[in-house]
């Protein structure tokens, strides 16, 4: 555990969580995040961005993780989420297992989002809001767009194949420390 602690210190990890992302867990983590990052009026804008992006990544894990557990008769996803502090920026990272059949649409959507400028993201966001939800979809399809809009940076994606059915997907983005 000490080695794990040292690695986290070296990598400037200020928040790390691995496990199921239920509503109860999300509320607890959100409260901890508020306490960690509340730094007064000057930092309020960065804190709000961090909080919003953290929530979106957490909800993605809860909704789309291939590894699920049942909590209070509700199925929730498991994964990992962490925030690191670097010189000049924060990075929010998330990871979870995803079914390989869902990879191509997700990767294509992130590539599309990353190609859009600020006005293009706003237009795509509004289009998605107006579109009816596809049958079988769990979310509204706007979380990744919100992440890109709030961070004002691309969403980084890393795929780690596990087997013929599953891949561990890592998503992250930077929030500049203005």
């Amino acid at each position: 555990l000490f080695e794990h602690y040292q690695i986290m210190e070296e990598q400037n990890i200020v928040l790390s969580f691995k496990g199921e992302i239920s509503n109860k867990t999300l509320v607890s983590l959100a409260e901890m995040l508020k306490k960690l990052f509340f730094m007064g009026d000057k930092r309020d804008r960065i804190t709000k961005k961090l909080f919003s992006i953290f929530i979106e990544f957490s909800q993605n894990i809860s909704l789309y993780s291939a590894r699920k557990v049942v909590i209070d008769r509700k199925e929730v996803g498991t994964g990992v989420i962490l925030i690191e502090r670097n010189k000049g920026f924060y990075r929010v990272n998330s990871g979870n297992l995803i079914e390989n059949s869902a990879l191509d649409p997700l990767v294509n959507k992130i590539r599309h989002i990353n190609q859009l400028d600020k006005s293009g993201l706003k237009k795509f966001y509004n289009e998605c809001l107006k579109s009816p939800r596809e049958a079988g979809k769990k979310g509204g399809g706007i979380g990744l767009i919100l992440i890109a809009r709030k961070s004002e940076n691309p969403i980084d994606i890393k795929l780690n194949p596990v087997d013929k059915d599953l891949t561990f997907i890592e998503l992250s983005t930077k929030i500049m420390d203005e």
Side-chain angles (χ1 to χ4, degrees):
L1 192 56
F2 180 63
E3 288 175 20
H4 184 68
Y5 171 80
Q6 286 178 311
I7 290 168
M8 289 178 69
E9 281 291 309
E10 289 168 10
Q11 295 180 357
N12 299 312
I13 296 172
V14 293
L15 179 93
S16 175
F17 177 81
K18 178 191 173 287
E20 71 277 344
I21 308 282
S22 65
N23 285 338
K24 190 175 182 178
T25 304
L26 191 54
V27 167
S28 296
L29 289 171
E31 286 299 318
M32 185 175 12
L33 187 63
K34 281 182 191 176
K35 288 176 185 172
L36 274 172
F37 289 99
F38 180 75
M39 300 175 198
D41 294 338
K42 284 176 125 178
R43 308 285 299 195
D44 196 42
R45 188 168 163 218
I46 295 167
T47 302
K48 285 179 182 178
K49 286 181 180 185
L50 275 168
F51 185 78
S52 177
I53 291 166
F54 176 85
I55 296 298
E56 290 299 333
F57 274 141
S58 297
Q59 288 177 331
N60 281 347
I61 292 170
S62 184
L63 291 172
Y64 301 113
S65 178
R67 179 147 304 143
K68 302 280 189 184
V69 295
V70 176
I71 298 176
D72 296 329
R73 291 176 273 176
K74 185 177 178 184
E75 194 173 68
V76 297
T78 64
V80 61
I81 187 158
L82 62 92
I83 298 175
E84 58 186 278
R85 181 180 301 148
N86 295 285
K87 187 173 180 129
F89 68 93
Y90 290 90
R91 180 173 291 281
V92 182
N93 306 279
S94 71
N96 58 276
L97 289 170
I98 186 170
E99 293 182 23
N100 289 340
S101 60
L103 278 178
D104 284 344
L106 178 62
V107 170
N108 290 335
K109 184 170 187 175
I110 291 172
R111 284 185 182 146
H112 177 69
I113 289 169
N114 285 343
Q115 293 173 358
L116 298 173
D117 62 9
K118 192 174 185 174
S119 65
L121 281 169
K122 183 177 181 179
K123 183 179 177 189
F124 187 45
Y125 174 80
N126 287 327
E127 288 171 5
C128 288
L129 279 179
K130 293 175 185 174
S131 299
R133 188 180 293 182
E134 294 176 34
K137 280 275 203 160
K138 299 173 192 172
I142 61 168
L144 293 171
I145 305 166
L146 282 171
I147 290 167
R149 290 184 74 193
K150 293 279 184 185
S151 71
E152 299 175 10
N153 281 295
I155 298 170
D156 297 320
I157 183 170
K158 183 177 179 189
L159 306 175
N160 305 284
V162 174
D163 58 30
K164 67 178 182 62
D165 298 318
L166 297 172
T167 293
F168 187 85
I169 186 167
E170 298 175 45
L171 300 176
S172 68
T173 195
K174 286 197 284 194
I175 298 98
M176 302 313 290
D177 191 3
E178 301 162 344

